[in-house]
Amino acid sequence: GISHVLLKPWKVREEFLRLDSDRDEILKFLNKTGQFYGEGDDVLHPVSIDAVKQWRNLVRDLMLEPDFTKWSRLLRLFPVEKTDGVVLASHFSIKFDWDQETPEVVMSERSTLGAMLATIHLDHARSARFNICARPACQAPFERKTNHPKRYCSDGCTRAEGLKNRRDRQRIEANA
């Protein structure tokens, strides 16, 4: 059987959305998180690298679209057998771990994709709003927690883009 590892689903989703197109990085993620999608403890459904990239785009689009009635338009990009029962009819159970200093949501979901979709459902249920990181190399969605217009998803992206802009200015000044 498959050993069950406790992973934080929002962290898994964040890592998934930050994956670049590097085959080794995608395989490392898949090996760490286990069964990507499907039913049954003993059934590992293989998923291609291209499919992971497609799912990444869909997960991103579903996060950014809070209106569930518009999800069917996004799902049309996938064969029905891939999305039927996986996205709109997904079922997951949650409980709250009150033993932590800050209570945590504990989800029971058999697949990586199912766990990520559950986070999207929960985020939309609490009316979370998302922006896209302005760093061209990233473009990851991130939660907008205030009305302050935050452009980057993380301090790392803010620093990287600031460094790039500073080097661009220095290059322009050197050529002038």
Side-chain angles (χ1 to χ4, degrees), residues 23 129 141-142 144 153 172:
R23 180 181 183 279
R129 299 170 302 166
F142 64 95
R144 189 173 75 204
C153 65
I172 289 169

Side-chain angles (χ1 to χ4, degrees), residues 18-157:
R18 289 181 184 282
L19 283 176
D20 60 21
S21 296
D22 180 64
R23 180 181 183 279
D24 291 338
E25 286 301 311
I26 291 172
L27 290 173
K28 182 178 170 185
F29 172 83
L30 292 172
N31 287 330
K32 181 173 91 175
T33 60
Q35 183 174 327
F36 189 73
Y37 62 87
E39 296 290 329
D41 282 335
D42 296 325
V43 181
L44 286 176
H45 291 269
V47 61
S48 70
I49 300 298
D50 287 336
V52 169
K53 293 174 190 176
Q54 291 172 335
W55 279 113
R56 186 181 56 203
N57 291 336
L58 180 63
V59 166
R60 178 182 184 268
D61 291 346
L62 293 174
M63 283 178 67
L64 297 171
E65 181 53 73
D67 184 350
F68 293 111
T69 63
K70 295 180 181 174
W71 280 20
S72 60
R73 175 183 47 83
L74 299 171
L75 297 175
R76 281 190 215 124
L77 302 172
F78 283 83
V80 173
E81 60 272 9
K82 273 192 176 180
T83 60
D84 189 34
V86 174
V87 178
L88 293 175
S90 61
H91 300 311
F92 56 93
S93 65
I94 63 170
K95 68 177 187 170
F96 294 92
D97 182 356
W98 296 103
D99 293 333
Q100 305 295 319
E101 185 174 319
T102 303
E104 290 186 353
V105 173
V106 178
M107 268 188 265
S108 177
E109 176 55 53
R110 293 185 182 274
S111 72
T112 302
L113 180 61
M116 290 187 293
L117 293 171
T119 65
I120 295 169
H121 286 291
L122 291 169
D123 283 343
H124 287 314
R126 65 182 181 81
S127 300
R129 299 170 302 166
F130 295 91
N131 284 347
I132 297 294
C133 183
R135 184 171 174 232
C138 180
Q139 299 283 299
F142 64 95
E143 185 172 355
R144 189 173 75 204
K145 295 184 179 186
T146 67
N147 287 330
H148 177 72
K150 187 175 171 188
R151 295 188 40 151
Y152 302 103
C153 65
S154 66
D155 290 340
C157 279

